[in-house]
Amino acid sequence: MKFLKTTLVLFSVLLILSSCRTEEIQIVNPPIENELVANSTVANLMRNTVAKDGSDDNIIDKASCLSIKLPVTVTVNSKEITINDKDGYEEIEDLFDLFDDDVDSIVISYPIEVILSDYTVKTVNSDEELEALAQNCKGENEEDDDIECLDFYYPLKASVFNSNKELILTLTIENDEEMYKLIGDLEDYAAVTIDFPFKVILNGDTYIYINNMQELEEAIAAAKNSCDEDDDNDYNDDDCDGCTTEGVKEIFANCNEWIVEKLYLNEEYLTEEFKMFTFSFRENGSIKIDNNGDISEGTWKVTGEGNDMSFSINIPNYPAFNGTWYLHEVKEGSGVVSVHLLLEGNHLRFKSQCSVVKNELSDILLAEGSVWAVENYKNDGVDKTETFTNYKIYFYPDNVVKAKKDGVVMVGSWEVSSDASILALNFSDAPVNEFNKEWTVASISEMQVVLEANDRRLVIKRID
């Protein structure tokens, strides 16, 4: 069924039933420069951009033009595991990497469902059926046609017009699949326009604004081959061929807060035990470990080059991390950086979200309709969050910030440093003047900003 076809049919019935109320029909001349035309260059580029990417699970299906619908059960080197999410692909790779002198194998438990690039779902009952599907959708270069170096930032708005230039529907597009279906349905509509401006994400870590169709076409065309789409079947091609000590140090200098994404030690998973910990790897070789306000210290050191790099950790209070690990790989993409360490069959992976958000701090604080609140505030280890319960914080483009509680408004100023690593706050009234600091930005997302200043830690969250 075509995208929103049922909605349009119902809308047509309503128009017939209310034909005497023609004053309610909005007649608008669609802006031609923003019209999305079926089979146009920009429409085809957009379709390839939002096509379903199937490269994440190439370690299983060896095909970037389709993906296996999770969960799926596979047997890896005689060990049966169930893959529930993308972390499971890392688990397969970890099992492959345990030994260098064995023959790696993976057996899929059928039947399974696969999702094609057009979001069609098919049932597959054997390796032969899977291979036939893969061969049918692969391009001449054994790669898919999708464009992964640019992503749309949702939600987006689109307007649908009929042949009388009447605005009959306004759409909110929430994800790639909805955009793909809209592009496939363009011939069913007299005209469709996209509401500009909107943001797109380049290479997973840079936002730019698009103001019209011409800019969109140029941006997608320029991004088409601007990054490694990882469409091959070499699951180790993101290992440390290009790693350097300076590069690793720079990553840790730019990313102030890390979590334990995985800790597998002596055949036991310890990730859950450390899930609330945050790690800061400082340039002077020290490590700060924050366990919900309980602070510990340690040291770290990286040496070597390429695939012969050592990563030494010494944390007296948490010996599970201690040792001279082998730096297996560093991954950067979609705003996430991960560092994977190996030691005699043990696995340690740290993860940080720092690539995208540092450039976007102001945009996040100023997001339309955003209201912020204090989620956590500690001063010298003392939890003072309750003091600021029910305060709402508003950021404004003219560097004005307001804190409001029970109808009382307290006005201050805010400023972000040129490299977005510092957020300065300055209020004149108590108690919020306690936040008057040049805060180091430890981590940010669209819903949370974590700030640190000496012995203080302030976490604000978006509540609207």
Side-chain angles (χ1 to χ4, degrees), residues 59-100:
I59 196 169
I60 300 177
D61 59 29
K62 300 179 176 60
S64 297
C65 56
L66 57 83
S67 58
I68 295 175
K69 191 173 181 180
L70 302 179
V72 63
T73 299
V74 296
T75 301
V76 182
N77 294 349
S78 301
K79 180 179 180 179
E80 184 177 277
I81 59 174
T82 298
I83 309 301
N84 294 299
D85 52 37
K86 291 183 178 181
D87 287 344
Y89 308 140
E90 297 281 356
E91 187 172 355
I92 295 174
E93 184 174 345
D94 291 346
L95 289 171
F96 281 0
D97 289 337
L98 280 176
F99 304 100
D100 295 329

Side-chain angles (χ1 to χ4, degrees), residues 75-268:
T75 301
V76 182
N77 294 349
S78 301
K79 180 179 180 179
E80 184 177 277
I81 59 174
T82 298
I83 309 301
N84 294 299
D85 52 37
K86 291 183 178 181
D87 287 344
Y89 308 140
E90 297 281 356
E91 187 172 355
I92 295 174
E93 184 174 345
D94 291 346
L95 289 171
F96 281 0
D97 289 337
L98 280 176
F99 304 100
D100 295 329
D101 56 355
D102 63 339
V103 178
D104 295 317
S105 66
I106 182 168
V107 178
I108 302 172
S109 297
Y110 292 98
I112 62 172
E113 289 186 317
V114 300
I115 308 170
L116 303 183
S117 60
D118 63 356
Y119 297 91
T120 300
V121 178
K122 292 186 177 294
T123 300
V124 177
N125 295 291
S126 66
D127 286 343
E128 291 75 19
E129 290 184 15
L130 181 62
E131 176 63 21
L133 272 178
Q135 289 299 328
N136 188 52
C137 66
K138 285 179 181 178
E140 294 181 1
N141 298 320
E142 297 291 303
E143 297 180 357
D144 54 355
D145 294 326
D146 72 326
I147 299 172
E148 300 167 37
C149 305
L150 180 145
D151 295 292
F152 289 97
Y153 187 89
Y154 297 103
L156 296 176
K157 299 285 187 179
S159 300
V160 180
F161 301 83
N162 65 14
S163 57
N164 295 322
K165 297 183 179 180
E166 296 166 351
L167 177 64
I168 59 172
L169 198 61
T170 298
L171 307 176
T172 299
I173 304 166
E174 299 285 355
N175 52 52
D176 282 348
E177 183 176 1
E178 291 183 5
M179 179 67 82
Y180 191 96
K181 291 181 178 180
L182 173 63
I183 295 169
D185 292 346
L186 288 175
E187 292 182 343
D188 294 345
Y189 312 132
V192 174
T193 62
I194 302 294
D195 292 359
F196 292 93
F198 59 80
K199 289 194 293 188
V200 297
I201 311 169
L202 300 179
N203 300 331
D205 61 9
T206 303
Y207 291 90
I208 63 170
Y209 283 89
I210 303 295
N211 298 294
N212 53 57
M213 279 294 179
Q214 183 63 34
E215 287 187 12
L216 180 59
E217 180 177 330
E218 292 173 355
I220 299 177
K224 187 174 182 180
N225 297 309
S226 65
C227 69
D228 178 10
E229 296 189 347
D230 202 20
D231 281 338
D232 55 44
N233 299 319
D234 181 5
Y235 65 89
N236 272 324
D237 67 355
D238 46 14
D239 291 356
C240 269
D241 286 337
C243 291
T244 65
T245 55
E246 292 305 315
V248 173
K249 290 176 181 178
E250 183 177 356
I251 286 173
F252 281 111
N254 291 335
C255 305
N256 296 325
E257 187 169 285
W258 298 76
I259 63 171
V260 176
E261 186 178 24
K262 180 179 181 180
L263 178 57
Y264 179 75
L265 191 64
N266 299 325
E267 300 185 349
E268 182 180 1

